[in-house]
Amino acid sequence: MGAGDTVDVSLPDGTHQLVAVGSTAADVLKQWRPAEFATFLAASWDGHPIDLAAPIRSAGSLRPLRFSDPEGREVLQHSAAHLVAKALTEAIPQALPTAGPPTEEGFYYDFDVRPLTPEDVAKVRELVQRSVSSLERFERVEVSKREALEWVGSNRHKQGYVAEVAEGVPVSFYRTGSFLDLCRGPHVPDTGWLAGLHVLGVSAITAGGDPAGEARQRVRGVAFPTRPELDAYLKLREEAEARDHRVVGARLGLFMFIDEAPGFPFWLPSGMVVVRELERFVTEHFREDGYQEVRTPLMFAQSVYETSGHWEHYRENIFQTEADGRVYGVKPMNCPGSMLIFQSTSRSYRELPLRLAEFAPLHRLERSGTLHGLTRVREMVQDDAHLFVSEDQIEAELTKLLAWIQRAFTTFRLAWSYELSTRPAHFLGETAQWDRAEATLEKVLKTSGVPYRTSAGEGAFYGPKIDIHVRDSLGRPWQTGTIQLDYQIPARFHLQYQGADGQLHTPIVIHRTILGTWERFLGVLLEHCAGRLPPWLAPIQVRIIPVAERHEGLGHAFVRELDSRGIRADLARSSETLSKRVREAEVAKIPWVAVVGDQEAASGATAVRTHGRKGQRSLSKGEFIDEVLGKLRERAFEP
RNA sequence: GCCGCGGUGGCUCAGUCGGUAGAGCGGCUCCUUGGUAAGGAGCAGGUCGAGGGUUCGAUUCCCUCCCGCGGCUCCA
């Protein structure tokens, strides 16, 4: 090709440009959209991300990448990681960079280095800022594999990466100021793009997530093209911290923990009201949906878990004790108990689907470092049920469950999605059965209309599952309910029923929870609503405030009236001022405040203040009660 | 469980370069009898996470343990 050759480049709007060979992506894009060019941080060439400075040598399609494009965002995060590596190796020359990918939130970079201190972080932040101010360019350099091995020097981690590159393929490096790093790229043009880079913190990890792996130090961060965008993000994070259920729940007096029972929640009176309401929510349709509630022992001898498979696959999570020379395990799940009930008598196909619900306390010996407020505990109660079904009943049951889930999560205004988890490495049964089960789950998911993704190898050891993930109002994901198809445990317990054909068949079991556990669900919900629970869940729904002491009799009578209508009300008897008591009710996030004083004594009305709204309305007591009952009946999210 | 960082009244935090601790909020009592987010005064409340060591003396320095936080891993 001669110097004067041109190639045809197609652009996103369908136009084409004849471009001189050797022109850069930047040249083309600048000419195409001069006004917007400043928002382009990289480009996509035939679907692959490239640097803006990359030369164009053949015909193809070119598309700009902005921060708002997922690929553009990744380029920025990756460049940020690169800059952090530069800063850290400047601060600690012995540090060996390993890898630094973008993540859903931001990025991280792992280093082979001594444990990092807060001072190191401060230094890194300072050096990052220095690089940003001096507008250093990200320069791509391509060399042969042999040269690359020389360039990475004694960094054995990078040597490993170079060794993986095929012979004859050029290896790319990026140079930023004095820092040179093996990197596939692409990057933003210069460090000016990283004005909104923030180092979130450091943590020690083990290489490859393997507990026995080598120790690494992970620097985590997040980057935005500008400082104001970063500030907005940090503000959102601050807001998230203020919603922390561990703080909010303690302040509202819902639950507590003590050092002597780590991971075992205490439910305080107010919290217990919430738990009972949640329980009522998920059980009120039990009769019409054909559920029967059972309660099975808290502990079983080891042999039960050997039968179920838990001893082999889950033993490290089972609390154990010993009596009369036998080892007992505290149940981590309700399924063995339900299996034993099914097994206890001869069963007919006419009994199916047999739906056994059990809300019993479960104990799981979670590793100490994983405990987290209510969202990760060692004692929990699931809204659990086991559905014993025949193969042709599966689909209908699953469809009903998904409808239920829809109703439940809509009530809480939680956005949810499904995750289909398939056969793990450690599994029971035949692969053909697994395939069939997975296909059934997938079919039902496809017709549900709710988005789902598939996680290969993440299923339970006894069957594939659908997990429910919810996002709270700040976009953070949580796993709550789960639906698990089980062809294995029923067979291990030799469960059988007599079919219409007179033959004995093994039932299939659907393990299912809707909200998951009260503990985690409430943790998520508290963060979702910032402690402002929906009125039907609020421990106190109405606070009556008598204006002065002489109105307390009036207040008492009103409390009794509300109580008789099934509304949880209390009286703010106090020598405090009215304003102070209103404030206390607001802080306690009580949905309604009703004031009674001289005016109300005369008119029979009450002055109602609704949580979160300033001002008040004068309503007759009857009107107010109707309003409250209406909100409770429809399980409104807000008062 | 692993790595790092923490632990001071109920809560949020200050402080002690080694001489046994303070504030605000909350609680209690009294005064105030109020009209929609903090009326006033007084009082009580801490073996400074636990144990051991160094020291004349440890909340402070060292070690071990417990718990928490941030991650890793795992998971409802």
Side-chain angles (χ1 to χ4, degrees):
Chain A
M1 260 186 285
D5 290 346
T6 58
V7 290
D8 179 272
V9 173
S10 69
L11 290 152
D13 60 357
T15 61
H16 290 256
Q17 279 190 21
L18 281 179
V19 169
V21 168
S23 307
T24 65
D27 295 335
V28 180
L29 291 169
K30 196 170 199 168
Q31 197 181 347
W32 178 62
R33 288 282 189 273
E36 290 171 52
F37 182 71
T39 65
F40 300 163
L41 53 79
S44 176
W45 178 252
D46 286 342
H48 300 287
I50 58 168
D51 293 317
L52 283 177
I56 288 170
R57 297 204 169 87
S58 59
S61 68
L62 184 67
R63 180 165 65 90
L65 293 181
R66 303 172 179 83
F67 181 63
S68 53
D69 300 308
E71 305 110 296
R73 188 191 156 82
E74 284 198 3
V75 169
L76 189 83
Q77 302 305 331
H78 186 216
S79 296
H82 197 96
L83 186 52
V84 163
K86 173 179 191 279
L88 192 105
T89 50
E90 280 169 8
I92 309 173
Q94 308 89 313
L96 301 180
T98 66
T103 62
E104 195 178 328
E105 188 183 19
F107 67 88
Y108 64 81
Y109 209 119
D110 290 346
F111 299 92
D112 183 357
V113 64
R114 63 159 170 81
L116 299 176
T117 64
E119 291 71 38
D120 294 325
V121 175
K123 187 75 187 163
V124 166
R125 286 187 175 131
E126 183 195 324
L127 291 169
V128 161
Q129 276 318 309
R130 199 174 294 174
S131 286
V132 169
S133 311
S134 56
L135 276 185
E136 291 160 1
R137 298 197 64 75
F138 282 92
E139 276 178 85
R140 184 184 176 96
V141 190
E142 291 186 358
V143 299
S144 69
K145 186 169 176 176
R146 177 202 295 247
E147 280 175 289
L149 279 173
E150 285 169 26
W151 282 27
V152 297
S154 57
N155 184 336
R156 59 198 170 88
H157 310 293
K158 297 288 184 185
Q159 283 171 1
Y161 298 134
V162 174
E164 287 169 20
V165 175
E167 215 54 64
V169 175
V171 181
S172 63
F173 283 76
Y174 279 79
R175 191 194 304 277
T176 317
S178 57
F179 178 67
L180 186 70
D181 193 16
L182 173 76
C183 179
R184 199 175 285 128
H187 280 298
V188 294
D190 59 60
T191 55
W193 276 92
L194 298 167
L197 194 168
H198 183 67
V199 174
L200 291 166
V202 297
S203 49
I205 58 142
T206 50
D210 174 5
E214 292 176 49
R216 298 260 196 285
Q217 299 292 315
R218 173 166 297 180
V219 181
R220 288 169 302 108
V222 64
F224 296 88
T226 65
R227 185 71 212 207
E229 284 165 281
L230 171 66
D231 290 340
Y233 166 84
L234 292 176
K235 204 175 157 207
L236 201 71
R237 260 181 80 95
E238 233 173 78
E239 224 177 278
E241 277 165 32
R243 286 165 174 252
D244 191 323
H245 77 274
R246 292 165 299 188
V247 177
V248 171
R251 194 154 290 155
L252 296 179
L254 301 177
F255 56 84
M256 63 174 230
F257 289 94
I258 63 168
D259 284 0
E260 290 73 17
F264 300 94
F266 283 61
W267 287 105
L268 301 175
S270 291
M272 208 54 216
V273 171
V274 182
V275 168
R276 288 294 187 213
E277 285 289 352
L278 284 175
E279 190 175 284
R280 198 152 69 97
F281 177 66
V282 298
T283 59
E284 64 188 2
H285 296 298
F286 266 12
R287 194 190 301 196
E288 72 185 71
D289 288 350
Y291 283 82
Q292 296 169 283
E293 199 168 350
V294 298
R295 185 72 137 229
T296 69
L298 197 63
M299 285 187 232
F300 293 102
Q302 178 179 336
S303 54
V304 168
Y305 300 110
E306 284 168 355
T307 302
S308 69
H310 286 91
W311 204 254
E312 189 188 344
H313 295 274
Y314 205 70
R315 187 188 344 184
E316 64 279 11
N317 282 297
I318 296 179
F319 282 98
Q320 290 176 38
T321 185
E322 186 251 281
D324 303 331
R326 284 211 285 183
V327 173
Y328 284 81
V330 181
K331 65 177 172 186
M333 300 177 191
N334 289 311
C335 32
S338 285
M339 301 291 159
L340 292 167
I341 288 176
F342 189 96
Q343 191 193 49
S344 65
T345 183
S346 56
R347 302 284 181 180
S348 153
Y349 73 97
R350 296 175 195 276
E351 294 177 70
L352 306 189
L354 183 71
R355 307 178 185 88
L356 298 181
E358 178 165 14
F359 295 6
L362 304 176
H363 295 76
R364 297 182 185 176
L365 182 50
E366 301 291 353
R367 289 193 262 169
S368 60
T370 62
L371 302 178
H372 184 93
L374 280 184
T375 52
R376 192 70 191 276
V377 292
R378 282 177 166 168
E379 176 178 347
M380 70 216 83
V381 177
Q382 294 181 321
D383 60 325
D384 201 7
H386 293 89
L387 318 183
F388 296 81
V389 299
S390 60
E391 184 123 26
D392 60 344
Q393 291 170 331
I394 293 175
E395 205 177 313
E397 289 299 312
L398 290 176
T399 304
K400 265 178 21 186
L401 285 174
L402 294 195
W404 223 114
I405 288 163
Q406 165 127 11
R407 187 172 91 76
F409 288 97
T410 305
T411 300
F412 296 105
R413 290 201 196 164
L414 287 161
W416 79 100
S417 63
Y418 296 118
E419 177 181 359
L420 173 61
S421 296
T422 58
R423 195 174 64 240
H426 288 280
F427 68 98
L428 297 176
E430 308 290 320
T431 54
Q433 276 179 320
W434 275 85
D435 292 344
R436 217 159 62 231
E438 287 169 12
T440 308
L441 288 173
E442 189 143 22
K443 183 180 171 195
V444 176
L445 279 176
K446 275 192 176 131
T447 53
S448 77
V450 174
Y452 74 94
R453 66 189 180 89
T454 304
S455 287
E458 297 295 317
F461 63 83
Y462 44 76
K465 59 177 183 171
I466 296 172
D467 288 327
I468 303 163
H469 293 269
V470 301
R471 282 184 184 268
D472 64 21
S473 56
L474 291 166
R476 292 170 298 182
W478 299 88
Q479 186 190 329
T480 56
T482 182
I483 299 174
Q484 309 183 350
L485 221 48
D486 181 359
Y487 290 77
Q488 315 307 333
I489 300 182
R492 294 175 69 101
F493 278 91
H494 304 293
L495 302 190
Q496 290 183 319
Y497 64 91
Q498 190 157 24
D501 57 4
Q503 301 296 305
L504 290 174
H505 302 274
T506 299
I508 295 139
V509 166
I510 301 171
H511 308 241
R512 47 110 287 186
T513 70
I514 305 296
L515 303 185
T517 65
W518 307 141
E519 287 77 12
R520 177 173 291 179
F521 186 79
L522 190 56
V524 172
L525 182 63
L526 281 171
E527 305 201 356
H528 176 57
C529 64
R532 199 176 149 188
L533 288 165
W536 61 280
L537 286 175
I540 296 294
Q541 292 158 332
V542 179
R543 172 153 294 166
I544 308 297
I545 301 183
V547 172
E549 233 168 81
R550 64 178 181 279
H551 307 115
E552 278 185 12
L554 194 63
H556 260 305
F558 198 14
V559 169
R560 277 197 300 275
E561 187 176 355
L562 290 167
D563 190 56
S564 73
R565 304 294 299 274
I567 297 167
R568 294 187 289 271
D570 72 357
L571 188 71
R573 283 184 65 183
S574 148
S575 60
E576 301 293 346
T577 59
L578 177 61
S579 286
K580 178 69 176 289
R581 285 175 285 162
V582 167
R583 177 174 196 275
E584 282 168 353
E586 286 288 332
V587 170
K589 302 180 193 298
I590 294 168
W592 291 280
V593 169
V595 172
V596 289
D598 289 335
Q599 294 161 28
E600 289 73 22
S603 66
T606 181
V608 175
R609 180 188 170 103
T610 307
H611 185 265
R613 283 173 237 168
K614 292 208 185 300
Q616 65 234 246
R617 297 169 292 149
S618 181
L619 297 178
S620 77
K621 285 178 181 156
E623 286 170 334
F624 174 58
I625 289 171
D626 286 345
E627 177 180 318
V628 171
L629 288 176
K631 294 285 186 184
L632 298 184
R633 201 176 305 117
E634 68 186 60
R635 291 207 167 93
F637 189 69
E638 290 172 339

